Amino acid sequence: MLNSSQMNRRLSTKDFVYFEIKKRIIECILAPDQPINEEYLATELNISRTPIREALQRLEIEELILRLPNGRLKVAPISIQEVEEIFHVRSLLEGLIAREATTKATSNDIQKLGQFTKLIVTAANNDRGDEVVYYGSEFHSYLYQISKNKTANKILNQLNDHISRYRRLGPIKNNERSRNAAKEHLEMFEAISHKNPDKAEKLMREHINNSLKAAVHTIEVHLQQNIDENN
Amino acid sequence: MLNSSQMNRRLSTKDFVYFEIKKRIIECILAPDQPINEEYLATELNISRTPIREALQRLEIEELILRLPNGRLKVAPISIQEVEEIFHVRSLLEGLIAREATTKATSNDIQKLGQFTKLIVTAANNDRGDEVVYYGSEFHSYLYQISKNKTANKILNQLNDHISRYRRLGPIKNNERSRNAAKEHLEMFEAISHKNPDKAEKLMREHINNSLKAAVHTIEVHLQQNIDENN
DNA sequence: ATTTGTGTAATTGTATACAATTATAAGTGT
DNA sequence: ACACTTATAATTGTATACAATTACACAAAT
C-alpha cells in the first residue's frame, strides 16, 4: 500500500524496503547498535511486516544488521577489526579486478577511464574531497564492469556498502589523502592503458591499503570521541 | 508443524528448511536449472510458505538459486565461467587465510594441522579420494579458525558450497590429483610450522589453482556427457 | 537490598487468507 | 495453419491473524 511511485516501477515492496533501510544504515540515520523493530518499521513505511522481514533478513545476511541470540535485531556495531578484514579482502579482489580489466579493456574503455581519472585529479586539485570519493567509486565500478567478474563484483559491492557506512562516521575532509588518491588513480590508469596487468594489480592493492590507513584513523578518532562524550 | 526433532533444537523452521534445501541443491537432488515451487516444498516439508520463502531468499542471495525475470525460481545452472571466478577469488582469500593463520598459529594449532596432514597423506596413499577431500576440507576449515578472519571466512564458506555442488557433478575418483593434493598440503603444513607466511600464502594459492584445473576438467566432461545424451 | 517468581505486555515466528501477476490453453478471426 | 484475444488456472507477493517466545515490571520471600 505504498502511495504509488514504487509499486509501478517493477521494484517489489521488499526490494524498496531493502534499499530504504540500507540507505538509512549507511547514512547512520539508523545508528550502529541501534535496535530494530519490525512493527515500528512496518507502521512507518505503511506496509505489512512480511516485506519488512524479508528486507531485514537480506541485510542480516549482508551483515549490516545482526541478530542477537534472542532473535532481536540491531544495526551492526562499529568494529575496527572488521574494517581491517574488509580492506584486506577488498585489496585482493580489487587487485584481481584491475588485472582482469587491464587484459579485457577496449580502447573505448580506456578512454572512459581516462575521463574518470581527469575528474578525480581535478577534484583533488580543488580540494573537493567528496568528488574525489564519488568519481573514485565510478572509476572502480567501471573496472568491475570491464572485468565481467560477477563473483568478485558482487562481493566487492557488499564490502563497499560497509565501507560507505564507515566513511559516514568521520569527516570526509582529508585533502592530503585526496591528492594521494588522485595520484594513485592516475598511476593505475597509466598501467591499465599500457596494458600492464601485473602493475595494475600491484598499484590497486597498494591504493586500497593506503585508503585502509585513512579509514582506520577516521574510525579511531570517532571511537575516541564517543568515549570522551560519555565521560 | 515438523514432527518434532527440529522444533526443540533452537533451530528455527526457516533455518531447518534452508539447510535442507541447500543440501538437496549441493547433492544435485535438486538439479541445476530445475524450477522451484514454493507451494510444492511447503506441502512436502509440511510447513507453511513463509519459512520456505525466507529460506529460498537466502539461497537466492547466495546464488545457489536464481530468480527469473518473472519472479519464478530455479536452481542455479552450471557455469564454467562461474567456477573459474570462484576459484580465482578463493585462491586469493585462502592465501590470505594461510598467511594470517601462519602468523597466529599456536604450537597446539600446528600439532592439529599435522594430524590432518597425516590423515590426508595416508588417505591419498591408499587411493581413498573422498577421504582426501574430507580431511582436506577439515584442514582448510581449521586454518579459517586460526586466522580469525570472519569476513574472509564467511565468503569462503559460501564459495565452498558452490564448489561442493560442482564436485557432485563428476566422479570424485582422481588418484593422481589426490596424491598431488596430499603433497601440496604437506608442503603447506611445513611452511606454516616453519612460520613462513609468504611461502604458506604462495603454496596455498598454487594449491587452489591446481584444484581449479581438476574441477574445470570434471565439469567439461559433465557438460559434454549431457550434450551427448541429448543427441 | 537482592533475589526469585509470576503475570502481562511486547516482539518475533509461523500459518493462512487474499491480491497481483504470470502462464496456459481454448476460442476467434483471418 | 497462424496470430491474436480472452478466460482460467497456477504461482508469487503482500497482508493479516495467530502462536510462541522473550522482556519487563511488580510482588513476595529471604
Side-chain angles (χ1 to χ4, degrees):
Chain A
M1 288 298 171
L2 299 173
N3 48 9
S4 72
S5 57
Q6 297 84 15
M7 295 292 275
N8 306 333
R9 301 193 183 176
R10 291 272 165 260
L11 184 67
S12 66
T13 311
K14 157 178 89 173
D15 289 339
F16 164 72
V17 173
Y18 164 74
F19 288 115
E20 179 61 29
I21 300 179
K22 184 164 90 172
K23 183 163 155 274
R24 294 183 188 188
I25 293 173
I26 289 175
E27 294 177 358
C28 295
I29 296 167
L30 291 170
D33 289 300
Q34 183 174 334
I36 290 175
N37 183 308
E38 293 175 5
E39 190 64 40
Y40 175 83
L41 286 170
T43 306
E44 190 188 78
L45 297 174
N46 197 31
I47 54 180
S48 76
R49 272 176 59 218
T50 307
I52 299 276
R53 279 178 65 81
E54 292 179 344
L56 291 175
Q57 190 197 336
R58 184 166 165 195
L59 291 164
E60 184 197 345
I61 292 170
E62 295 173 0
E63 298 191 63
L64 286 169
I65 283 177
L66 66 81
R67 186 172 302 272
L68 304 172
N70 59 15
R72 307 292 209 274
L73 296 169
K74 71 169 188 177
V75 178
I78 300 302
S79 158
I80 288 194
Q81 195 197 325
E82 194 206 44
V83 179
E84 288 175 342
E85 288 177 7
I86 286 175
F87 273 86
H88 285 149
V89 170
R90 196 183 157 216
S91 165
L92 294 170
L93 298 193
E94 292 267 8
L96 174 65
I97 293 286
R99 159 180 295 283
E100 294 180 343
T102 302
T103 307
K104 293 186 180 175
T106 65
S107 59
N108 184 43
D109 290 331
I110 288 170
Q111 198 196 337
K112 201 88 192 257
L113 287 172
Q115 289 169 358
F116 286 129
T117 306
K118 205 162 204 169
L119 288 165
I120 294 168
V121 171
T122 306
N125 287 340
N126 293 79
D127 291 340
R128 291 198 292 267
D130 46 347
E131 274 185 33
V132 174
V133 171
Y134 176 78
Y135 291 118
S137 299
E138 293 288 308
F139 184 96
H140 289 265
S141 291
Y142 198 70
L143 289 182
Y144 299 174
Q145 262 186 256
I146 299 173
S147 79
K148 297 189 174 61
N149 187 325
K150 288 181 200 164
T151 303
N153 207 313
K154 189 191 167 195
I155 296 169
L156 283 170
N157 281 326
Q158 283 189 205
L159 298 179
N160 286 336
D161 284 336
H162 286 255
I163 292 171
S164 297
R165 183 174 75 127
Y166 283 113
R167 272 216 195 90
R168 284 281 174 141
L169 294 174
I172 306 170
K173 275 283 180 199
N174 184 336
N175 291 332
E176 192 194 342
R177 177 63 201 132
S178 290
R179 275 189 286 271
N180 285 335
K183 194 178 159 200
E184 287 158 19
H185 278 91
L186 183 57
E187 288 170 349
M188 286 191 285
F189 169 69
E190 282 167 0
I192 294 166
S193 60
H194 288 84
K195 300 283 180 198
N196 189 336
D198 284 339
K199 192 168 183 186
E201 180 175 30
K202 181 169 172 288
L203 289 172
M204 179 61 88
R205 287 188 185 178
E206 288 169 2
H207 167 63
I208 304 293
N209 287 333
N210 290 338
S211 41
L212 165 60
K213 288 167 203 157
V216 167
H217 179 69
T218 297
I219 293 157
E220 277 170 348
V221 169
H222 170 84
L223 290 176
Q224 192 56 47
Q225 279 176 351
N226 281 22
I227 291 169
D228 293 346
E229 282 167 17
N230 297 338
N231 288 350
Chain B
M1 291 297 171
L2 300 172
N3 48 9
S4 71
S5 57
Q6 296 86 15
M7 295 295 275
N8 306 333
R9 301 189 184 183
R10 293 273 165 258
L11 185 66
S12 65
T13 311
K14 157 179 90 172
D15 289 339
F16 165 73
V17 172
Y18 164 75
F19 289 115
E20 179 62 29
I21 300 178
K22 184 164 90 171
K23 182 161 156 276
R24 294 185 187 185
I25 293 173
I26 288 174
E27 294 177 358
C28 296
I29 296 166
L30 290 171
D33 289 299
Q34 183 175 334
I36 290 174
N37 184 308
E38 294 175 4
E39 189 63 40
Y40 176 84
L41 285 169
T43 306
E44 190 187 79
L45 298 173
N46 198 29
I47 54 180
S48 76
R49 273 177 58 216
T50 307
I52 301 276
R53 278 178 65 80
E54 292 179 345
L56 291 176
Q57 189 197 333
R58 185 168 167 194
L59 290 164
E60 185 198 343
I61 293 169
E62 295 173 0
E63 299 192 61
L64 286 168
I65 284 177
L66 65 82
R67 186 174 301 273
L68 304 172
N70 59 15
R72 303 297 201 306
L73 296 169
K74 71 170 189 177
V75 179
I78 301 302
S79 157
I80 288 193
Q81 195 198 326
E82 194 206 44
V83 178
E84 288 176 342
E85 288 177 7
I86 286 175
F87 272 87
H88 285 149
V89 170
R90 195 182 158 217
S91 165
L92 293 169
L93 298 194
E94 291 267 8
L96 173 65
I97 292 286
R99 159 181 294 282
E100 294 180 343
T102 302
T103 307
K104 294 186 179 174
T106 66
S107 60
N108 184 42
D109 291 331
I110 288 170
Q111 198 196 337
K112 201 87 192 259
L113 286 172
Q115 289 169 358
F116 287 129
T117 307
K118 204 163 205 169
L119 288 165
I120 293 167
V121 171
T122 306
N125 288 338
N126 294 80
D127 291 341
R128 292 199 290 268
D130 46 348
E131 274 186 34
V132 174
V133 170
Y134 176 77
Y135 291 118
S137 300
E138 293 288 308
F139 184 96
H140 289 265
S141 292
Y142 198 71
L143 288 182
Y144 298 175
Q145 263 186 254
I146 299 172
S147 79
K148 297 189 174 63
N149 187 325
K150 288 181 200 163
T151 303
N153 206 313
K154 189 192 167 195
I155 297 168
L156 284 169
N157 281 325
Q158 282 189 205
L159 298 180
N160 286 335
D161 284 336
H162 285 255
I163 292 172
S164 296
R165 183 174 75 128
Y166 284 113
R167 271 215 194 89
R168 284 282 173 142
L169 293 174
I172 307 170
K173 276 282 182 200
N174 184 338
N175 290 333
E176 191 194 343
R177 175 66 201 131
S178 290
R179 273 190 286 272
N180 285 335
K183 194 177 159 200
E184 288 158 18
H185 277 92
L186 183 56
E187 288 169 349
M188 287 190 283
F189 169 69
E190 282 167 1
I192 294 166
S193 59
H194 288 85
K195 301 283 180 197
N196 190 337
D198 285 340
K199 192 168 184 186
E201 180 176 29
K202 181 169 172 287
L203 289 172
M204 180 60 89
R205 288 188 186 179
E206 289 168 1
H207 167 63
I208 304 293
N209 287 334
N210 289 338
S211 40
L212 165 60
K213 288 168 203 157
V216 167
H217 179 70
T218 296
I219 293 157
E220 277 171 348
V221 169
H222 171 84
L223 289 177
Q224 192 56 48
Q225 280 174 352
N226 281 22
I227 290 169
D228 293 348
E229 281 167 16
N230 296 335
N231 290 351

